[in-house]
């Protein structure tokens, strides 16, 4: 059985970069099938690893897994850069916490999607599966995918993310280019803390997806969320400056 879920770009196109995805609490590699295919369609090499259990797996072990996952993503056994780590939920916290350590593989940038809040008011509460789905997403396709996946661990959002990991994630002042991606309807997010975290980093961008819930990469707005990630990836070639300036009479 393979350790990863892999997504390849269209045949004949030059690979534009490598993306390693770290799922969050209760999620599986299959949770990011739609996201992986969408980024791969833009000629990025995408690989999804298993979600970390932050109560049993040390960050150093996760770093080793990421390093191993990056090794054979290119035909010549190298890595096509930029190399970007995308973490969701607890995966985002773990990726962020790794940045101030020796991460095993040195990313050129990170995307932190649905980073959980540290305050008690942003913690989930035990409930039914439908209530957990309501926290996660309003997308019927994603709700169905989570429900039909026998490996998805229900009730996992009630598992606390270790405070040491969350603290390291929020307090990091890393210079690694960072996209913080969050839904404005995410009940687990601490929007004020995220805004502060974005300002405290040397190269950070905070993007809020209107109407999106906790699973911001897989909610109804998944196309816009993926497009925001691709836009961020493309800015890595332009000193983080957007390649397109938008002026509209709609606002």
């Amino acid at each position: 059985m393979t350790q990863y879920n892999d997504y390849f770009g269209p045949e004949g196109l030059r690979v534009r970069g490598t993306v390693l995805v770290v799922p969050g609490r209760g999620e599986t590699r299959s949770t990011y099938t739609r996201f992986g295919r969408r980024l791969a369609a833009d000629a990025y090499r995408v690989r999804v690893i298993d979600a970390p259990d932050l109560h049993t797996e040390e960050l150093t072990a996760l770093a080793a897994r990421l390093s191993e996952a990056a090794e054979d993503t290119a035909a010549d056994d190298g890595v096509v850069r930029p190399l970007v780590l995308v973490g969701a939920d607890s995966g985002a916290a773990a990726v962020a916490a790794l940045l101030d350590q020796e991460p095993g593989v040195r990313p050129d940038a990170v995307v932190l999607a649905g980073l959980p809040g540290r305050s008690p008011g942003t913690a989930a509460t035990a409930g039914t599966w439908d209530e957990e789905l309501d926290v996660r997403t309003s997308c019927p396709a994603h709700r169905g995918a989570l429900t039909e996946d026998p490996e998805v661990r229900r009730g996992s959002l009630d598992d606390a993310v270790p405070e040491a990991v969350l603290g390291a994630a929020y307090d990091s002042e890393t210079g690694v280019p960072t996209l913080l991606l969050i839904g404005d309807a995410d009940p687990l997010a601490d929007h004020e803390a995220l805004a502060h975290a974005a300002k405290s980093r040397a190269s950070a961008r905070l993007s809020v997806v209107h109407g999106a819930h906790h699973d911001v990469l897989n909610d109804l707005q998944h196309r816009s969320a993926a497009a925001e990630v691709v836009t961020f990836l493309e800015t890595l070639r332009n000193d983080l400056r957007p390649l397109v300036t938008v002026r509209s009479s709609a606002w």
Side-chain angles (χ1 to χ4, degrees), residues 122-158:
T122 60
T125 57
T128 66
W129 176 237
D130 282 341
E131 289 171 335
E132 180 173 345
L133 288 175
D134 289 343
V135 170
R136 287 185 175 276
T137 179
S138 59
C139 175
H142 184 47
R143 290 170 76 100
L146 291 173
T147 299
E148 294 165 13
D149 185 345
E151 296 184 3
V152 165
R153 190 165 53 83
R154 300 186 181 194
S156 59
L157 289 183
D158 286 316

Side-chain angles (χ1 to χ4, degrees), residues 49-62:
I49 71 169
D50 287 321
D53 183 341
L54 298 179
H55 293 281
T56 62
E57 181 180 22
E58 297 289 340
L59 287 178
T60 52
L62 174 61

Side-chain angles (χ1 to χ4, degrees), residues 165-219:
V165 175
L166 278 177
Y170 276 97
D171 297 339
S172 172
E173 297 181 358
T174 179
V176 175
T178 301
L179 170 63
L180 291 155
L181 189 65
I182 198 73
D184 69 355
D186 181 358
L188 307 187
D190 185 333
H191 293 275
E192 183 177 346
L194 286 167
H196 181 270
K199 291 179 181 179
S200 68
R201 288 163 165 78
S203 302
R205 170 175 175 167
L206 174 61
S207 297
V208 180
V209 182
H210 298 295
H213 296 73
H214 186 60
D215 292 1
V216 63
L217 296 176
N218 281 306
D219 211 346

Side-chain angles (χ1 to χ4, degrees), residues 44 82-86 108-112 176-181 203-207 225-243:
Y44 285 91
L83 171 64
V84 180
L85 304 182
V86 176
D108 297 297
V110 297
V111 177
L112 308 179
V176 175
T178 301
L179 170 63
L180 291 155
L181 189 65
S203 302
R205 170 175 175 167
L206 174 61
S207 297
E228 183 67 13
V229 172
V230 171
T231 298
F232 173 69
L233 297 179
E234 293 297 311
T235 67
L236 297 177
R237 298 175 176 81
N238 196 42
D239 295 326
L240 298 184
R241 295 192 302 271
L243 298 173

